[in-house]
Amino acid sequence: MRVALATDAWAPQINGVVRSLTETAAALGPLGHSVEFITPEGLPSWPLPTYPDIRLAIGAGAAVAERLDRLAPDALHIATEGPIGHAARRWAMARRLPFTTSYHTRYPEYVRARAPVPEALTYAWLRHFHGPASRTLVPTETMRRELASWGFRNLSVWSRGVDSRLFRPRDLEPVAWPRPLMLSVGRVAVEKNLEAFLSLDLPGTKVVVGDGPQRAALEQRHPEAVFLGSRTGEALAEIYASADVFVFPSLTDTYGNVMQEALASGVPVAAFPVAGPLDVITDPAVGALDADLAVAIRRALTLDRAACRAFALTRSWEAAARQFASALAPFASVARAA
């Protein structure tokens, strides 16, 4: 199939959504499929409030419709609920063509953390957006059950893989900070709940990789922690492999690709027992989940690094891509002719 994939999340953003889409697209190629991305690139945009590094396209409708008409794809997948996603949705509905969507981000919880907006209101808006889709893909079974409880329909699981060649165990090089080295990787924002990690009184060094709107405030509040900013590729992989434990304090992520990157690097995970960690850390030999994050960290530090690596090798992007492809809704030739 020739697949059009519409997304508001795109480079230079560094996040799980962009990683999931690009890795899945790369894995679809050897399976005989091709992906054409419809993104905000080249369009006028404005910064998302509280997230200036995320820009939303302005007046995307005509540009998206023209691009989709020219591509004449066999299937359309809409990955995000922003201007690009809405434009692609309008294009498909106007032509009575089927499409699929995916749910990557807990917007109700993210919005509620910033403003007094009831979660039920945001969920109602999301139900309206995803309602016409043939299927809405979610990253875990826990998220499928949760969204079903909010009235979402036609939900299917599309899991995530990990690049086990890039993220791999390496010889532990000496580091400039006292061990154990406790690492967290991701966007530095309020919904990531980093305060729960950084406020813990534990021996060793807390290291944060990533950037975001809360970084300056957290750096000032926790001068003992090491903030390295954004890292990608080999530089990121080396930091993972140098850690003694990976700490994932988020309570709102739908999955948490970074946990699998840590496991592939041979690093055990400590997290809260919530959606995301519950679905990724399914073997107590590779991670510790506890309502007391300090307890989870201490337990994770005792786990076997080789077991973490072996567990991660069972998670491939090829398997995730096959799930994705099987859920798509190819356009019927009669519908296209009409």
Side-chain angles (χ1 to χ4, degrees), residues 58-114:
I58 298 173
V64 169
E66 188 275 332
R67 179 86 186 274
L68 286 168
D69 284 335
R70 187 172 73 252
L71 286 175
D74 300 309
L76 169 65
H77 181 76
I78 301 171
T80 56
E81 302 93 344
I84 297 293
H86 274 84
R89 180 180 181 272
R90 287 194 301 271
W91 178 88
M93 293 182 69
R95 290 157 179 77
R96 298 186 178 181
L97 295 173
F99 60 93
T100 54
T101 60
S102 48
Y103 187 89
H104 293 270
T105 306
R106 289 173 176 258
Y107 284 116
E109 288 79 4
Y110 285 17
V111 172
R112 185 69 184 84
R114 291 166 170 77

